[in-house]
Coordinates of all heavy atoms in Angstrom, one line a residue:
I300 N 119.3 85.0 107.2 CA 119.7 86.4 107.4 C 118.4 87.2 107.8 O 118.4 87.9 108.8 CB 120.3 87.0 106.2 CG1 121.5 86.2 105.8 CG2 120.7 88.5 106.5 CD1 122.6 86.1 106.8
L301 N 117.3 86.9 107.1 CA 116.1 87.6 107.4 C 115.6 87.3 108.8 O 115.1 88.2 109.5 CB 115.0 87.3 106.3 CG 113.7 88.0 106.4 CD1 113.9 89.5 106.2 CD2 112.8 87.5 105.3
N302 N 115.7 86.0 109.2 CA 115.2 85.6 110.5 C 116.1 86.2 111.6 O 115.6 86.6 112.6 CB 115.1 84.1 110.6 CG 114.4 83.6 111.8 OD1 113.6 84.3 112.4 ND2 114.8 82.4 112.3
G303 N 117.4 86.2 111.4 CA 118.3 86.7 112.4 C 118.0 88.2 112.6 O 118.0 88.7 113.8
Q304 N 117.8 88.9 111.5 CA 117.4 90.3 111.7 C 116.1 90.5 112.4 O 115.9 91.4 113.2 CB 117.4 91.0 110.3 CG 117.1 92.4 110.3 CD 115.6 92.7 109.9 OE1 114.9 91.8 109.5 NE2 115.2 93.9 110.2
G305 N 115.2 89.6 112.1 CA 113.9 89.6 112.8 C 113.9 89.4 114.3 O 113.3 90.1 115.1
I306 N 114.8 88.5 114.7 CA 115.0 88.2 116.1 C 115.6 89.4 116.8 O 115.2 89.8 117.9 CB 115.9 86.9 116.3 CG1 115.1 85.7 115.9 CG2 116.3 86.8 117.8 CD1 115.9 84.4 115.9
A307 N 116.6 90.0 116.2 CA 117.2 91.2 116.7 C 116.2 92.3 116.9 O 116.2 93.1 117.8 CB 118.4 91.6 115.9
G308 N 115.3 92.4 115.9 CA 114.2 93.4 115.9 C 113.3 93.2 117.0 O 112.8 94.1 117.7
N309 N 112.9 91.9 117.3 CA 112.0 91.6 118.4 C 112.6 92.0 119.7 O 111.9 92.5 120.6 CB 111.7 90.1 118.4 CG 110.7 89.7 117.4 OD1 109.8 90.5 117.0 ND2 110.7 88.4 116.9
I310 N 113.9 91.8 119.9 CA 114.5 92.1 121.2 C 114.7 93.6 121.3 O 114.4 94.2 122.4 CB 115.9 91.4 121.3 CG1 115.7 89.9 121.3 CG2 116.7 91.9 122.5 CD1 117.0 89.1 121.1
T311 N 115.1 94.3 120.3 CA 115.4 95.7 120.4 C 114.1 96.5 120.4 O 114.1 97.7 120.7 CB 116.3 96.2 119.3 OG1 115.8 95.9 118.0 CG2 117.7 95.6 119.4
S312 N 113.0 95.9 120.0 CA 111.7 96.7 119.9 C 111.4 97.3 121.3 O 110.8 98.4 121.4 CB 110.6 95.9 119.4 OG 110.3 94.8 120.2
V313 N 111.7 96.5 122.4 CA 111.5 97.0 123.7 C 112.3 98.2 124.0 O 111.8 99.3 124.5 CB 111.8 95.9 124.8 CG1 111.6 96.5 126.2 CG2 111.0 94.7 124.6
C314 N 113.6 98.2 123.5 CA 114.5 99.3 123.7 C 114.1 100.5 122.9 O 114.3 101.7 123.4 CB 115.9 98.9 123.3 SG 116.5 97.4 124.3
F315 N 113.5 100.3 121.7 CA 113.1 101.5 120.9 C 111.8 102.1 121.5 O 111.6 103.3 121.5 CB 112.9 101.0 119.5 CG 114.1 100.9 118.7 CD1 114.7 99.7 118.4 CD2 114.8 102.1 118.2 CE1 115.9 99.6 117.7 CE2 115.9 102.0 117.5 CZ 116.5 100.8 117.3
N316 N 110.9 101.2 121.9 CA 109.6 101.7 122.4 C 109.6 102.5 123.6 O 108.8 103.4 123.8 CB 108.6 100.5 122.5 CG 108.0 100.0 121.2 OD1 108.1 100.7 120.2 ND2 107.4 98.9 121.2
L317 N 110.5 102.1 124.6 CA 110.5 102.8 125.9 C 110.9 104.2 125.8 O 110.2 105.1 126.3 CB 111.3 102.0 126.9 CG 110.7 100.7 127.4 CD1 111.6 100.1 128.5 CD2 109.3 100.8 127.9
P318 N 112.1 104.6 125.2 CA 112.4 106.0 125.1 C 111.4 106.8 124.2 O 111.1 107.9 124.5 CB 113.8 106.0 124.4 CG 114.3 104.6 124.7 CD 113.1 103.7 124.7
A319 N 110.8 106.1 123.2 CA 109.9 106.7 122.3 C 108.5 107.0 123.0 O 107.7 107.8 122.6 CB 109.6 105.9 121.1
S320 N 108.3 106.2 124.1 CA 107.0 106.3 124.8 C 106.8 107.7 125.4 O 105.7 108.2 125.6 CB 106.9 105.3 126.0 OG 106.9 104.0 125.4
F321 N 107.9 108.4 125.7 CA 107.7 109.8 126.2 C 107.1 110.7 125.1 O 106.6 111.8 125.5 CB 109.1 110.3 126.6 CG 109.6 109.7 127.9 CD1 110.5 108.7 127.9 CD2 109.1 110.2 129.1 CE1 111.0 108.1 129.1 CE2 109.6 109.6 130.3 CZ 110.5 108.6 130.3
G322 N 107.2 110.3 123.9 CA 106.6 111.1 122.8 C 105.1 111.3 123.0 O 104.6 112.4 122.7
A323 N 104.4 110.2 123.4 CA 102.9 110.3 123.6 C 102.6 111.3 124.7 O 101.6 112.0 124.6 CB 102.4 108.9 123.8
A324 N 103.4 111.2 125.8 CA 103.1 112.1 126.9 C 103.4 113.5 126.6 O 102.7 114.4 126.9 CB 104.0 111.7 128.1
V325 N 104.5 113.8 125.8 CA 104.8 115.1 125.3 C 103.7 115.6 124.4 O 103.3 116.8 124.4 CB 106.1 115.1 124.6 CG1 106.4 116.4 123.8 CG2 107.3 114.9 125.6
T326 N 103.1 114.8 123.5 CA 102.0 115.2 122.6 C 100.8 115.7 123.5 O 100.2 116.7 123.2 CB 101.6 114.0 121.7 OG1 102.6 113.6 120.9 CG2 100.4 114.4 120.9
T327 N 100.5 114.9 124.5 CA 99.4 115.3 125.4 C 99.7 116.6 126.1 O 98.8 117.5 126.1 CB 99.1 114.2 126.5 OG1 98.8 113.0 125.8 CG2 98.0 114.6 127.4
M328 N 100.8 116.8 126.6 CA 101.2 118.0 127.4 C 101.2 119.2 126.4 O 100.7 120.3 126.7 CB 102.5 117.9 128.1 CG 102.4 117.0 129.3 SD 103.7 117.2 130.5 CE 103.3 118.9 131.1
V329 N 101.8 119.0 125.2 CA 101.9 120.1 124.3 C 100.6 120.5 123.8 O 100.2 121.7 123.7 CB 102.9 119.8 123.1 CG1 102.8 120.8 122.0 CG2 104.3 119.7 123.6
S330 N 99.7 119.5 123.4 CA 98.4 119.9 122.8 C 97.6 120.6 123.8 O 96.9 121.6 123.5 CB 97.7 118.6 122.3 OG 97.4 117.7 123.4
M331 N 97.6 120.1 125.1 CA 96.7 120.8 126.1 C 97.3 122.2 126.5 O 96.5 123.1 126.6 CB 96.6 119.9 127.3 CG 95.6 118.8 127.2 SD 95.1 118.2 128.8 CE 94.0 116.8 128.4
N332 N 98.6 122.3 126.6 CA 99.1 123.6 127.0 C 99.0 124.7 125.9 O 98.7 125.8 126.2 CB 100.6 123.4 127.4 CG 100.7 122.9 128.9 OD1 100.5 123.7 129.8 ND2 101.1 121.7 129.0
V333 N 99.2 124.3 124.6 CA 99.0 125.3 123.6 C 97.6 125.6 123.4 O 97.2 126.7 123.1 CB 99.7 124.8 122.2 CG1 101.2 124.7 122.4 CG2 99.0 123.6 121.7
G334 N 96.7 124.6 123.7 CA 95.3 124.9 123.6 C 94.8 125.9 124.7 O 93.9 126.6 124.5
A335 N 95.6 125.9 125.8 CA 95.3 126.8 126.9 C 96.2 128.1 126.8 O 96.2 128.9 127.7 CB 95.5 126.1 128.3
G336 N 96.9 128.2 125.7 CA 97.8 129.4 125.6 C 99.0 129.4 126.4 O 99.6 130.5 126.6
Q337 N 99.5 128.3 126.8 CA 100.8 128.2 127.6 C 101.9 127.6 126.8 O 102.4 126.5 127.0 CB 100.5 127.3 128.8 CG 99.5 127.9 129.8 CD 99.3 127.1 131.1 OE1 98.6 127.5 132.0 NE2 99.9 125.9 131.1
G338 N 102.3 128.4 125.8 CA 103.4 127.9 124.9 C 104.7 127.6 125.5 O 105.4 126.7 125.2
S339 N 105.1 128.4 126.5 CA 106.4 128.3 127.2 C 106.4 126.9 127.9 O 107.5 126.3 128.0 CB 106.7 129.4 128.1 OG 105.7 129.5 129.1
K340 N 105.3 126.6 128.6 CA 105.3 125.3 129.3 C 105.3 124.1 128.3 O 105.9 123.1 128.6 CB 104.0 125.2 130.2 CG 104.1 124.0 131.1 CD 103.1 124.1 132.3 CE 103.2 123.0 133.2 NZ 102.3 123.1 134.4
A341 N 104.7 124.3 127.2 CA 104.7 123.2 126.2 C 106.1 123.0 125.7 O 106.6 121.8 125.5 CB 103.8 123.6 125.0
K342 N 106.9 124.1 125.5 CA 108.3 124.0 125.1 C 109.1 123.3 126.1 O 109.9 122.4 125.8 CB 108.8 125.4 124.8 CG 110.3 125.4 124.3 CD 110.7 126.9 124.0 CE 112.1 126.9 123.5 NZ 112.5 128.3 123.3
K343 N 109.0 123.6 127.4 CA 109.7 123.0 128.4 C 109.4 121.5 128.5 O 110.3 120.7 128.8 CB 109.4 123.7 129.8 CG 110.0 125.1 129.9 CD 109.6 125.7 131.2 CE 110.1 127.2 131.3 NZ 109.6 127.8 132.6
A344 N 108.1 121.2 128.3 CA 107.7 119.8 128.4 C 108.4 119.0 127.3 O 108.8 117.8 127.6 CB 106.2 119.7 128.2

Side-chain angles (χ1 to χ4, degrees):
I300 305 297
L301 186 59
N302 191 25
Q304 182 260 346
I306 289 172
N309 282 334
I310 295 169
T311 55
S312 64
V313 178
C314 303
F315 281 102
N316 278 347
L317 288 187
S320 294
F321 287 100
V325 167
T326 298
T327 300
M328 286 200 70
V329 169
S330 65
M331 283 202 182
N332 277 287
V333 297
Q337 297 184 170
S339 61
K340 188 164 185 177
K342 181 178 180 180
K343 289 177 183 176

